[in-house]
Amino acid sequence: MAAMTIAKLTEMKKNGEKIASLTAYDASFAKLFAAQNIDFMLIGDSLGNTIQGASSTLPVTVDDIAYHTKAVRNGAPDAFVMADMPFMSYATPEQACQEAAKLMRAGANMVKLEGGDWLLDTIRQLVERGVPVCAHLGLLPQSVNVLGGYKVQGKEASAADNTLRQAQALEAAGAQLLVLECIPTSLGKRISEALSIPTIGIGAGPHCDGQILVMHDMFGLNSDYLPKFVKNFLAETGDLAAAVALYVKQVKEGSFPGPEHSFKG
């Protein structure tokens, strides 16, 4: 299978082909995911919760992300790999460029940043310097203390309009992918239809161009609490590889996420 690229992901959106992605943190799972034709993998700062046992993503450092990015790259040499830039690692454009370089050297093809208008100049500078950027709107885990908890975003008409406007501004600044987290299905549809770059949903409904889940969630490993947008694919299959294959199949055919995994509105 030929290596995935940003151009191919964009072509998939144009052709109406859904994009399936998962978080990955080590070589073994990266190899497994690549064998099941996952379109791309994200080294998420969710590793703070899933790997390190922290209560949020805030303690994660750039060095942590770089370490796990290198491990994923070793396990899946040809995969398209995206790396999260963790909390306060991109407070200024200059800092963002310095820290993004570490992640690109570790094996990332793209970095992901959380936020809207305040990031526009940072995104322009990263892209100008050869660093592809995925933006992230909706629920922003790094801003959970400001948001007052893990809540669905963009429910009111004014908030939805503002999220759409910010999405368009992020694309104009040079972002080439956009993750949408915990927003109403109708807003996920509006944004996906308004942008030419692919949208990747996590709790953003079935109309996004692709879907992503935290790997531990889709295997049911955090069974004490599974968010509404998660499905335990391992419970349905009893086998890790089969669970990933089923996830990819259901994303591609559009049966996941269903209404029960989405937020109304």
Side-chain angles (χ1 to χ4, degrees):
M1 184 175 175
M4 182 58 70
T5 64
I6 294 170
K8 288 181 183 176
L9 292 170
T10 305
E11 191 68 20
M12 289 172 73
K13 175 186 173 89
K14 286 181 184 174
N15 295 336
E17 182 183 347
K18 295 289 188 180
I19 298 164
S21 55
L22 287 168
T23 64
Y25 313 98
D26 66 26
S28 297
F29 277 103
K31 186 175 182 180
L32 171 70
F33 296 163
Q36 299 304 322
N37 297 320
I38 279 285
D39 293 313
F40 73 84
M41 302 178 212
L42 168 68
I43 295 81
D45 58 5
S46 50
L47 69 87
N49 308 88
T50 59
I51 306 294
Q52 298 174 340
S55 61
S56 75
T57 65
L58 302 191
V60 177
T61 67
V62 172
D63 286 344
D64 292 336
I65 297 285
Y67 173 89
H68 290 279
T69 298
K70 194 172 290 186
V72 167
R73 175 57 69 206
N74 288 341
D78 299 323
F80 190 88
V81 171
M82 183 193 301
D84 260 341
M85 294 194 69
F87 179 65
M88 289 299 285
S89 66
Y90 48 98
T92 65
E94 293 75 23
Q95 183 192 23
C97 289
Q98 290 174 356
E99 303 298 349
K102 296 176 185 176
L103 300 180
M104 298 295 285
R105 291 190 190 105
N109 301 104
M110 175 178 250
V111 300
K112 181 167 76 65
L113 317 175
E114 294 183 12
D117 293 332
W118 73 274
L119 276 176
L120 299 178
D121 189 45
T122 297
I123 291 172
R124 287 187 202 98
Q125 292 201 34
L126 284 168
V127 173
E128 284 171 358
R129 287 155 180 77
V131 179
V133 173
C134 174
H136 183 148
L137 288 175
L139 175 64
L140 308 178
Q142 291 176 16
S143 301
V144 66
N145 291 318
V146 175
L147 296 173
Y150 295 93
K151 302 174 182 176
V152 178
Q153 302 295 307
K155 289 194 288 186
E156 299 80 18
S158 60
D161 290 345
N162 189 48
T163 304
L164 172 58
R165 181 193 59 75
Q166 290 191 74
Q168 292 170 320
L170 290 164
E171 177 179 16
Q176 292 173 287
L177 280 177
L178 176 64
V179 167
L180 296 170
E181 181 167 359
C182 286
I183 61 172
T185 292
S186 59
L187 181 55
K189 185 173 190 286
R190 280 179 69 194
I191 294 173
S192 299
E193 290 176 350
L195 300 185
S196 60
I197 61 173
T199 59
I200 309 298
I202 177 165
H207 305 294
C208 293
D209 302 304
Q211 301 293 327
I212 190 164
L213 286 177
V214 172
M215 57 166 275
H216 296 74
D217 287 347
M218 65 89 65
F219 289 139
L221 296 179
N222 296 331
S223 53
D224 54 331
Y225 170 70
L226 284 180
K228 175 184 172 70
F229 53 77
V230 171
K231 178 178 176 180
N232 183 344
F233 288 86
L234 184 59
E236 208 166 313
T237 59
D239 176 83
L240 291 173
V244 178
L246 181 63
Y247 168 70
V248 172
K249 176 178 181 290
Q250 292 192 355
V251 170
K252 296 287 186 183
E253 69 188 14
S255 62
F256 178 83
E260 69 274 25
H261 309 113
S262 306
F263 300 103
K264 292 179 181 177

